Structure formats: C-alpha cells, structure tokens
Amino acid sequence: MDTHQILGMIAPRGLFVMDNPHIDWLGARSGSVAALGGAQVYQALGAQDNISYWADVQDGTHCAARPEWRAPLRQSIEAFLHGTGEAPGALRPAGAGSAADGTCAGSRSAGADGEQGDGTRVDAGSPVHRGVRR
C-alpha cells in the first residue's frame, strides 16, 4: 500500500499533514505527491476542504514544531475535533510562495498566517457530522 492510498482511505474525515522539506531523508517530494494523490480522493468525495498538507516552511530543524503550522493546525482541530470553526483546506507544498500555487482544484488555500488569501470564509454553520464536514 502506498501513502496516497492510506491518505485516501482516511477521506472524507479531516486530515492535516505537516511536512518538512528541508530534511532530505523525510522524502518531501514523495510526501507532496502522496498528499496531492490523496487530495484527489477527497475531491472526488466532495470533501476537498477536509485535507490540508503543509510543507511550505522556512526552517529545516528536525523534530520541531514549525510556526507556519500553528494556524492551520488550530483550524483543523477546531473544525474536526471540536466541531467549530472552519478547516483550512490548503495544500502548501514546499516553496509554494503564494496560496494558489499548491491548491487542489476546488479547495480553499490559506496564507502563511492561516487566513484565507481572499478574505472569505466558509459558512461557520456548515454541517458537522461525527467529525466529518460535508
């Protein structure tokens, strides 16, 4: 079984994947391709906002929490564990530069500060059922 298949089996439940492309042996390219492949399953299920992949980080230290992950991680926790707030729905591969560069068709993308690039938000009243946003 490949990583993109495992990610696809989690769909449509919320998933936030954090990656660090600065550590060669973590296989950032493989992680990025797997996340994009898994995102296709989410998109096919109409749940493209339920997956986020964040590898656009500045620092390469190992075993450290990246500040760039803080806002989208908090959004994911609020959306999928607490049933409040909105999922980040962003795909940010390494060097994405702008929010649109790594975005799966149909998904929203968050900027480096976790806010939506165009300032819009998904309706906070979106149905949440057993941790799955539909």
Side-chain angles (χ1 to χ4, degrees):
M1 176 153 290
D2 289 332
T3 306
H4 71 284
Q5 294 171 315
I6 294 170
L7 297 180
M9 289 185 345
I10 295 169
R13 292 176 294 277
L15 177 63
F16 182 59
V17 180
M18 299 171 279
D19 201 357
N20 187 340
H22 303 286
I23 310 293
D24 290 337
W25 52 269
L26 292 178
R29 183 165 188 221
S30 297
S32 179
V33 170
L36 293 173
Q40 293 298 311
V41 176
Y42 277 82
Q43 186 174 7
L45 295 173
Q48 60 269 14
D49 289 342
N50 291 5
I51 184 172
S52 292
Y53 171 77
W54 210 278
D56 191 17
V57 297
Q58 299 300 314
D59 188 359
T61 22
H62 189 280
C63 293
R66 309 269 52 95
E68 297 92 342
W69 296 336
R70 189 171 295 127
L73 178 58
R74 184 176 295 123
Q75 286 178 300
S76 292
I77 289 169
E78 289 172 0
F80 300 114
L81 297 179
H82 297 165
T84 61
E86 301 147 10
L91 299 175
R92 293 284 300 254
S98 71
D101 292 345
T103 304
C104 179
S107 73
R108 294 181 339 269
S109 184
D113 60 358
E115 295 298 318
Q116 302 306 315
D118 61 1
T120 61
R121 301 299 245 175
V122 171
D123 177 19
S126 297
V128 176
H129 180 66
R130 285 183 276 149
V132 178
R133 297 179 70 72
R134 299 174 191 228

